[in-house]
Amino acid sequence: MARPGKPKKHSSNGANVGYEAELWRMADALRGSMDAAEYKHVALGLLFLKYISDAFEEQHAKLEADRKSGADPEDPDEYRALNIFWVPPEARWTHLKAQAKQATIGQLVDAAMEGIERDNVSLKGVLPKDYARPALDKARLGQLIDLISNIKVGDADARSRDVLGRVYEYFLSQFASAEGKKGGEFYTPRCVVKLLVEMLEPYKGRVYDPCCGSSGMFVQSIEFIRAHAKGNGGKVKRDISIYGQESNYTTWRLAKMNLALRGIEGRIEHGDSFQNDRHPDLKADFILANPPFNISDWGGERLREDKRWKYGVPPAGNANFGWVQHIVHHLAPAGTAGFVLANGSMSSNQSGEGEIRRNLVEADLVDCMVALPGQLFYSTQIPACLWFLARDRKNGKFRDRCGQVLFIDARKLGRMVDRTHRELTDEDIARIANTYHAWRGEKGAGEYADRPGFSKSAALEDVRKHGHVLTPGRYVGAEALEDDGEPFEEKMKRFAATLREQQAEAAKLDAAIAANLRELGYG
């Protein structure tokens, strides 16, 4: 495989720099009979190793050329000072590539991972180290190393284009698709993450995700800040702090790797946010999350007296409103939150959920509701929506929105990217986000106006009349149809004439079919 050249044009919503699909096809062909969930860590671990080795080798060459000036290419501090991981000799890609055809390649990769963890404290316990196991075909492993050897993912040019970030994300999405429901536990489609981030605009402060999966929310938040950075050479100011928690250990490792490969620091803890909240005192300025939908085995029966249930005890058989109240509990006094939930959360009255939703609305916490189109998620066909909450809706940052809720019905937006999956385009995201920004009264966002069939600013009294149901379709009404100027009488005459023509054509076809049947002896 030739080294990729200039990337093709792509939507910034899809992880596509021009050759990920080809790389995926080739890598997936090497999977053989291995389960996608298992192969995921094999492939992503090697990609990560190649990334840090590329960055190291580039700096190593510069230091080698500077030896006469006193530079030492084998001094770890020469790399750490530039936020480049130190790679010990046994972990360097050139060493692994030279040994790729050997039967001991699995042991060598494990030793490489152990060496990197030993010399880089931030990666301790994060990297996969089971390449020597008998079940992993060593010939295929060697072929995968050869394949990855042909792409640059960690040198300065590749880092500037976030090549590995894109490839890594594309692989995550493909594994999510291959794994089905299980894959979706750690992957939120990029377009959904981007929409949440564009609406909340987390420029600075504490950003928290209580079920962070592979850290997509954090990565996208940093990308957002970089895209909007002004001054300081366009560099991101270090005024954002990241906090996350993930219950699945292997997914937690993916999250740590995902942040590490982009040089993002954050406190990502392993554990169950309900049963073992690792950030108990955190009050976040922004919370972004995609909690697993409708989880029944979340241990709710053991938390009946929990202090987080200020608006009602969530049912033991469904974690949805446990997540909502966990998020509210961790919001700072002026904090805002955006998160994904199943559509049922907007209207369910089972097991006290309707009462909790009513209490949230009456507490003036609900800022905006967005109904999403179907088929966005790899893991489920359950329709989803976005909730946006705000602790203080008259804090002076935006206009006073107390007693109002913005409803956006985005179910008709998006485009199909294959037979089963849809994505929101950049234009769709901008339309939804700009509507929210204008409604909040943001400077430069323009004037907000209701758009029948799409958006409606509803008064609290309207929401009460609907029994505190938050489904946007109930509020936005029908889309206004354009008047084509044709008088009704003329339109009806035209329709009637068209109908008569079609009926006559249908009669001809019926007669032809009957004649054919008679010729075949079935008349």
Side-chain angles (χ1 to χ4, degrees), residues 191-225:
C191 65
V192 175
V193 181
K194 184 173 182 179
L195 176 57
L196 284 168
V197 171
E198 290 287 339
M199 290 182 75
L200 285 186
E201 300 179 309
Y203 283 107
K204 61 180 180 179
R206 293 152 297 187
V207 179
Y208 173 53
D209 184 345
C211 42
C212 67
S214 54
S215 286
M217 302 287 182
F218 302 134
V219 169
Q220 198 73 7
S221 294
I222 297 297
E223 286 186 15
F224 172 85
I225 295 169

mmCIF file of all heavy atoms in Angstrom, residues 191-225:
data_model
loop_
_atom_site.group_PDB
_atom_site.id
_atom_site.type_symbol
_atom_site.label_atom_id
_atom_site.label_comp_id
_atom_site.label_asym_id
_atom_site.label_seq_id
_atom_site.Cartn_x
_atom_site.Cartn_y
_atom_site.Cartn_z
ATOM 1 N N CYS A 191 -21.102 13.029 14.308
ATOM 2 C CA CYS A 191 -22.018 14.134 14.028
ATOM 3 C C CYS A 191 -22.863 14.482 15.246
ATOM 4 O O CYS A 191 -23.197 15.658 15.470
ATOM 5 C CB CYS A 191 -22.908 13.822 12.822
ATOM 6 S SG CYS A 191 -24.053 12.431 13.044
ATOM 7 N N VAL A 192 -23.207 13.478 16.068
ATOM 8 C CA VAL A 192 -23.987 13.744 17.279
ATOM 9 C C VAL A 192 -23.128 14.471 18.305
ATOM 10 O O VAL A 192 -23.571 15.426 18.951
ATOM 11 C CB VAL A 192 -24.544 12.424 17.862
ATOM 12 C CG1 VAL A 192 -25.260 12.682 19.181
ATOM 13 C CG2 VAL A 192 -25.487 11.760 16.864
ATOM 14 N N VAL A 193 -21.884 14.028 18.452
ATOM 15 C CA VAL A 193 -20.965 14.697 19.370
ATOM 16 C C VAL A 193 -20.755 16.145 18.931
ATOM 17 O O VAL A 193 -20.795 17.077 19.744
ATOM 18 C CB VAL A 193 -19.608 13.969 19.429
ATOM 19 C CG1 VAL A 193 -18.674 14.666 20.400
ATOM 20 C CG2 VAL A 193 -19.786 12.519 19.825
ATOM 21 N N LYS A 194 -20.545 16.326 17.628
ATOM 22 C CA LYS A 194 -20.294 17.676 17.126
ATOM 23 C C LYS A 194 -21.489 18.583 17.385
ATOM 24 O O LYS A 194 -21.328 19.759 17.742
ATOM 25 C CB LYS A 194 -19.990 17.624 15.624
ATOM 26 C CG LYS A 194 -19.615 18.997 15.044
ATOM 27 C CD LYS A 194 -19.155 18.884 13.604
ATOM 28 C CE LYS A 194 -18.741 20.267 13.095
ATOM 29 N NZ LYS A 194 -18.263 20.225 11.699
ATOM 30 N N LEU A 195 -22.698 18.058 17.216
ATOM 31 C CA LEU A 195 -23.892 18.864 17.466
ATOM 32 C C LEU A 195 -23.963 19.284 18.939
ATOM 33 O O LEU A 195 -24.224 20.458 19.243
ATOM 34 C CB LEU A 195 -25.144 18.071 17.083
ATOM 35 C CG LEU A 195 -26.483 18.755 17.373
ATOM 36 C CD1 LEU A 195 -26.572 20.115 16.674
ATOM 37 C CD2 LEU A 195 -27.645 17.863 16.942
ATOM 38 N N LEU A 196 -23.734 18.357 19.852
ATOM 39 C CA LEU A 196 -23.737 18.694 21.278
ATOM 40 C C LEU A 196 -22.716 19.786 21.586
ATOM 41 O O LEU A 196 -23.015 20.757 22.297
ATOM 42 C CB LEU A 196 -23.428 17.447 22.111
ATOM 43 C CG LEU A 196 -24.544 16.424 22.281
ATOM 44 C CD1 LEU A 196 -23.991 15.129 22.876
ATOM 45 C CD2 LEU A 196 -25.656 16.969 23.168
ATOM 46 N N VAL A 197 -21.519 19.629 21.053
ATOM 47 C CA VAL A 197 -20.446 20.587 21.337
ATOM 48 C C VAL A 197 -20.750 21.949 20.721
ATOM 49 O O VAL A 197 -20.569 22.989 21.359
ATOM 50 C CB VAL A 197 -19.095 20.038 20.822
ATOM 51 C CG1 VAL A 197 -18.011 21.093 20.907
ATOM 52 C CG2 VAL A 197 -18.693 18.807 21.628
ATOM 53 N N GLU A 198 -21.223 21.953 19.479
ATOM 54 C CA GLU A 198 -21.526 23.229 18.826
ATOM 55 C C GLU A 198 -22.653 23.971 19.545
ATOM 56 O O GLU A 198 -22.674 25.201 19.574
ATOM 57 C CB GLU A 198 -21.914 22.991 17.363
ATOM 58 C CG GLU A 198 -20.773 22.554 16.460
ATOM 59 C CD GLU A 198 -19.797 23.677 16.142
ATOM 60 O OE1 GLU A 198 -20.176 24.853 16.265
ATOM 61 O OE2 GLU A 198 -18.644 23.356 15.781
ATOM 62 N N MET A 199 -23.584 23.241 20.131
ATOM 63 C CA MET A 199 -24.681 23.901 20.839
ATOM 64 C C MET A 199 -24.244 24.422 22.198
ATOM 65 O O MET A 199 -24.597 25.537 22.589
ATOM 66 C CB MET A 199 -25.873 22.947 20.977
ATOM 67 C CG MET A 199 -26.561 22.670 19.638
ATOM 68 S SD MET A 199 -27.999 21.604 19.755
ATOM 69 C CE MET A 199 -29.227 22.715 20.456
ATOM 70 N N LEU A 200 -23.427 23.658 22.926
ATOM 71 C CA LEU A 200 -23.009 24.082 24.270
ATOM 72 C C LEU A 200 -21.824 25.044 24.259
ATOM 73 O O LEU A 200 -21.654 25.821 25.191
ATOM 74 C CB LEU A 200 -22.652 22.861 25.121
ATOM 75 C CG LEU A 200 -23.818 22.028 25.656
ATOM 76 C CD1 LEU A 200 -23.299 20.947 26.591
ATOM 77 C CD2 LEU A 200 -24.840 22.884 26.373
ATOM 78 N N GLU A 201 -20.971 24.959 23.249
ATOM 79 C CA GLU A 201 -19.811 25.852 23.108
ATOM 80 C C GLU A 201 -18.928 25.869 24.365
ATOM 81 O O GLU A 201 -18.801 26.884 25.050
ATOM 82 C CB GLU A 201 -20.278 27.279 22.797
ATOM 83 C CG GLU A 201 -21.073 27.396 21.518
ATOM 84 C CD GLU A 201 -21.539 28.811 21.242
ATOM 85 O OE1 GLU A 201 -22.143 29.437 22.145
ATOM 86 O OE2 GLU A 201 -21.289 29.310 20.132
ATOM 87 N N PRO A 202 -18.278 24.762 24.666
ATOM 88 C CA PRO A 202 -17.422 24.701 25.861
ATOM 89 C C PRO A 202 -16.049 25.337 25.655
ATOM 90 O O PRO A 202 -15.047 24.649 25.475
ATOM 91 C CB PRO A 202 -17.309 23.196 26.115
ATOM 92 C CG PRO A 202 -17.401 22.595 24.749
ATOM 93 C CD PRO A 202 -18.347 23.467 23.968
ATOM 94 N N TYR A 203 -16.001 26.656 25.695
ATOM 95 C CA TYR A 203 -14.735 27.358 25.468
ATOM 96 C C TYR A 203 -13.766 27.219 26.635
ATOM 97 O O TYR A 203 -12.575 27.052 26.452
ATOM 98 C CB TYR A 203 -14.998 28.856 25.223
ATOM 99 C CG TYR A 203 -15.506 29.173 23.853
ATOM 100 C CD1 TYR A 203 -16.822 29.543 23.649
ATOM 101 C CD2 TYR A 203 -14.663 29.112 22.743
ATOM 102 C CE1 TYR A 203 -17.295 29.844 22.388
ATOM 103 C CE2 TYR A 203 -15.125 29.409 21.480
ATOM 104 C CZ TYR A 203 -16.451 29.778 21.304
ATOM 105 O OH TYR A 203 -16.919 30.072 20.054
ATOM 106 N N LYS A 204 -14.279 27.333 27.845
ATOM 107 C CA LYS A 204 -13.396 27.246 29.005
ATOM 108 C C LYS A 204 -14.195 26.767 30.213
ATOM 109 O O LYS A 204 -15.419 26.892 30.264
ATOM 110 C CB LYS A 204 -12.755 28.598 29.306
ATOM 111 C CG LYS A 204 -13.731 29.706 29.639
ATOM 112 C CD LYS A 204 -12.986 31.010 29.917
ATOM 113 C CE LYS A 204 -13.959 32.137 30.263
ATOM 114 N NZ LYS A 204 -13.252 33.387 30.559
ATOM 115 N N GLY A 205 -13.476 26.205 31.187
ATOM 116 C CA GLY A 205 -14.116 25.699 32.391
ATOM 117 C C GLY A 205 -13.934 24.206 32.531
ATOM 118 O O GLY A 205 -13.089 23.586 31.877
ATOM 119 N N ARG A 206 -14.755 23.613 33.371
ATOM 120 C CA ARG A 206 -14.682 22.180 33.660
ATOM 121 C C ARG A 206 -15.693 21.437 32.803
ATOM 122 O O ARG A 206 -16.889 21.730 32.839
ATOM 123 C CB ARG A 206 -14.972 21.946 35.142
ATOM 124 C CG ARG A 206 -13.897 22.494 36.077
ATOM 125 C CD ARG A 206 -14.457 22.868 37.425
ATOM 126 N NE ARG A 206 -15.440 23.951 37.305
ATOM 127 C CZ ARG A 206 -15.997 24.568 38.325
ATOM 128 N NH1 ARG A 206 -15.683 24.227 39.556
ATOM 129 N NH2 ARG A 206 -16.883 25.533 38.143
ATOM 130 N N VAL A 207 -15.184 20.475 32.029
ATOM 131 C CA VAL A 207 -16.029 19.666 31.142
ATOM 132 C C VAL A 207 -16.069 18.241 31.691
ATOM 133 O O VAL A 207 -15.028 17.643 31.972
ATOM 134 C CB VAL A 207 -15.492 19.665 29.697
ATOM 135 C CG1 VAL A 207 -16.363 18.803 28.799
ATOM 136 C CG2 VAL A 207 -15.411 21.086 29.156
ATOM 137 N N TYR A 208 -17.279 17.704 31.821
ATOM 138 C CA TYR A 208 -17.448 16.398 32.474
ATOM 139 C C TYR A 208 -18.323 15.488 31.626
ATOM 140 O O TYR A 208 -19.310 15.920 31.034
ATOM 141 C CB TYR A 208 -18.103 16.625 33.844
ATOM 142 C CG TYR A 208 -18.516 15.382 34.601
ATOM 143 C CD1 TYR A 208 -17.627 14.340 34.859
ATOM 144 C CD2 TYR A 208 -19.818 15.266 35.116
ATOM 145 C CE1 TYR A 208 -18.021 13.217 35.584
ATOM 146 C CE2 TYR A 208 -20.218 14.150 35.847
ATOM 147 C CZ TYR A 208 -19.313 13.130 36.074
ATOM 148 O OH TYR A 208 -19.700 12.023 36.783
ATOM 149 N N ASP A 209 -17.949 14.214 31.575
ATOM 150 C CA ASP A 209 -18.756 13.174 30.939
ATOM 151 C C ASP A 209 -18.763 11.967 31.868
ATOM 152 O O ASP A 209 -17.726 11.327 32.051
ATOM 153 C CB ASP A 209 -18.181 12.800 29.574
ATOM 154 C CG ASP A 209 -19.044 11.784 28.821
ATOM 155 O OD1 ASP A 209 -19.918 11.172 29.453
ATOM 156 O OD2 ASP A 209 -18.821 11.599 27.617
ATOM 157 N N PRO A 210 -19.900 11.649 32.488
ATOM 158 C CA PRO A 210 -19.957 10.551 33.455
ATOM 159 C C PRO A 210 -19.949 9.156 32.848
ATOM 160 O O PRO A 210 -19.857 8.168 33.576
ATOM 161 C CB PRO A 210 -21.279 10.810 34.183
ATOM 162 C CG PRO A 210 -22.137 11.486 33.158
ATOM 163 C CD PRO A 210 -21.200 12.338 32.352
ATOM 164 N N CYS A 211 -20.071 9.060 31.540
ATOM 165 C CA CYS A 211 -20.045 7.755 30.852
ATOM 166 C C CYS A 211 -19.302 7.986 29.538
ATOM 167 O O CYS A 211 -19.874 7.911 28.463
ATOM 168 C CB CYS A 211 -21.457 7.230 30.622
ATOM 169 S SG CYS A 211 -22.630 8.496 30.063
ATOM 170 N N CYS A 212 -18.007 8.278 29.642
ATOM 171 C CA CYS A 212 -17.262 8.910 28.538
ATOM 172 C C CYS A 212 -16.877 7.991 27.396
ATOM 173 O O CYS A 212 -16.353 8.460 26.384
ATOM 174 C CB CYS A 212 -16.027 9.620 29.077
ATOM 175 S SG CYS A 212 -14.768 8.528 29.764
ATOM 176 N N GLY A 213 -17.108 6.675 27.520
ATOM 177 C CA GLY A 213 -16.781 5.808 26.389
ATOM 178 C C GLY A 213 -15.345 5.989 25.952
ATOM 179 O O GLY A 213 -14.424 5.988 26.765
ATOM 180 N N SER A 214 -15.132 6.207 24.666
ATOM 181 C CA SER A 214 -13.769 6.351 24.137
ATOM 182 C C SER A 214 -13.318 7.807 24.084
ATOM 183 O O SER A 214 -12.400 8.153 23.355
ATOM 184 C CB SER A 214 -13.673 5.707 22.757
ATOM 185 O OG SER A 214 -14.675 6.233 21.901
ATOM 186 N N SER A 215 -14.001 8.701 24.841
ATOM 187 C CA SER A 215 -13.606 10.109 25.015
ATOM 188 C C SER A 215 -13.919 10.999 23.817
ATOM 189 O O SER A 215 -13.317 12.056 23.655
ATOM 190 C CB SER A 215 -12.108 10.231 25.356
ATOM 191 O OG SER A 215 -11.884 9.839 26.686
ATOM 192 N N GLY A 216 -14.875 10.607 22.997
ATOM 193 C CA GLY A 216 -15.221 11.411 21.834
ATOM 194 C C GLY A 216 -15.687 12.815 22.186
ATOM 195 O O GLY A 216 -15.395 13.776 21.463
ATOM 196 N N MET A 217 -16.431 12.956 23.289
ATOM 197 C CA MET A 217 -16.920 14.279 23.682
ATOM 198 C C MET A 217 -15.756 15.227 23.973
ATOM 199 O O MET A 217 -15.779 16.396 23.600
ATOM 200 C CB MET A 217 -17.808 14.189 24.927
ATOM 201 C CG MET A 217 -19.019 13.291 24.778
ATOM 202 S SD MET A 217 -20.319 13.998 23.743
ATOM 203 C CE MET A 217 -21.559 12.700 23.878
ATOM 204 N N PHE A 218 -14.726 14.723 24.652
ATOM 205 C CA PHE A 218 -13.587 15.555 25.008
ATOM 206 C C PHE A 218 -12.777 15.946 23.778
ATOM 207 O O PHE A 218 -12.372 17.093 23.627
ATOM 208 C CB PHE A 218 -12.691 14.814 26.006
ATOM 209 C CG PHE A 218 -13.385 14.410 27.267
ATOM 210 C CD1 PHE A 218 -13.231 13.139 27.787
ATOM 211 C CD2 PHE A 218 -14.211 15.293 27.943
ATOM 212 C CE1 PHE A 218 -13.869 12.756 28.944
ATOM 213 C CE2 PHE A 218 -14.857 14.922 29.112
ATOM 214 C CZ PHE A 218 -14.684 13.654 29.615
ATOM 215 N N VAL A 219 -12.546 14.962 22.911
ATOM 216 C CA VAL A 219 -11.774 15.234 21.692
ATOM 217 C C VAL A 219 -12.474 16.300 20.854
ATOM 218 O O VAL A 219 -11.853 17.250 20.375
ATOM 219 C CB VAL A 219 -11.596 13.933 20.875
ATOM 220 C CG1 VAL A 219 -11.032 14.242 19.494
ATOM 221 C CG2 VAL A 219 -10.693 12.964 21.617
ATOM 222 N N GLN A 220 -13.785 16.152 20.703
ATOM 223 C CA GLN A 220 -14.532 17.109 19.898
ATOM 224 C C GLN A 220 -14.568 18.484 20.556
ATOM 225 O O GLN A 220 -14.553 19.504 19.871
ATOM 226 C CB GLN A 220 -15.961 16.590 19.677
ATOM 227 C CG GLN A 220 -16.687 17.253 18.527
ATOM 228 C CD GLN A 220 -16.157 16.795 17.177
ATOM 229 O OE1 GLN A 220 -15.339 15.883 17.101
ATOM 230 N NE2 GLN A 220 -16.599 17.427 16.123
ATOM 231 N N SER A 221 -14.591 18.534 21.882
ATOM 232 C CA SER A 221 -14.562 19.821 22.581
ATOM 233 C C SER A 221 -13.256 20.553 22.310
ATOM 234 O O SER A 221 -13.248 21.761 22.053
ATOM 235 C CB SER A 221 -14.741 19.606 24.095
ATOM 236 O OG SER A 221 -16.026 19.103 24.391
ATOM 237 N N ILE A 222 -12.152 19.812 22.355
ATOM 238 C CA ILE A 222 -10.855 20.424 22.067
ATOM 239 C C ILE A 222 -10.788 20.877 20.613
ATOM 240 O O ILE A 222 -10.279 21.954 20.298
ATOM 241 C CB ILE A 222 -9.709 19.441 22.390
ATOM 242 C CG1 ILE A 222 -9.692 19.116 23.882
ATOM 243 C CG2 ILE A 222 -8.378 20.010 21.942
ATOM 244 C CD1 ILE A 222 -9.422 20.289 24.795
ATOM 245 N N GLU A 223 -11.322 20.057 19.696
ATOM 246 C CA GLU A 223 -11.355 20.451 18.286
ATOM 247 C C GLU A 223 -12.164 21.727 18.103
ATOM 248 O O GLU A 223 -11.804 22.608 17.315
ATOM 249 C CB GLU A 223 -11.953 19.317 17.436
ATOM 250 C CG GLU A 223 -11.026 18.140 17.243
ATOM 251 C CD GLU A 223 -11.602 17.114 16.278
ATOM 252 O OE1 GLU A 223 -12.569 17.437 15.560
ATOM 253 O OE2 GLU A 223 -11.072 15.992 16.239
ATOM 254 N N PHE A 224 -13.279 21.836 18.830
ATOM 255 C CA PHE A 224 -14.121 23.028 18.758
ATOM 256 C C PHE A 224 -13.324 24.258 19.196
ATOM 257 O O PHE A 224 -13.345 25.302 18.541
ATOM 258 C CB PHE A 224 -15.350 22.853 19.644
ATOM 259 C CG PHE A 224 -16.185 24.100 19.794
ATOM 260 C CD1 PHE A 224 -17.145 24.419 18.848
ATOM 261 C CD2 PHE A 224 -15.990 24.951 20.867
ATOM 262 C CE1 PHE A 224 -17.911 25.573 18.980
ATOM 263 C CE2 PHE A 224 -16.747 26.103 21.011
ATOM 264 C CZ PHE A 224 -17.709 26.414 20.061
ATOM 265 N N ILE A 225 -12.621 24.135 20.312
ATOM 266 C CA ILE A 225 -11.850 25.270 20.832
ATOM 267 C C ILE A 225 -10.766 25.667 19.839
ATOM 268 O O ILE A 225 -10.557 26.848 19.561
ATOM 269 C CB ILE A 225 -11.230 24.918 22.198
ATOM 270 C CG1 ILE A 225 -12.345 24.692 23.225
ATOM 271 C CG2 ILE A 225 -10.303 26.016 22.675
ATOM 272 C CD1 ILE A 225 -11.865 24.096 24.527
#
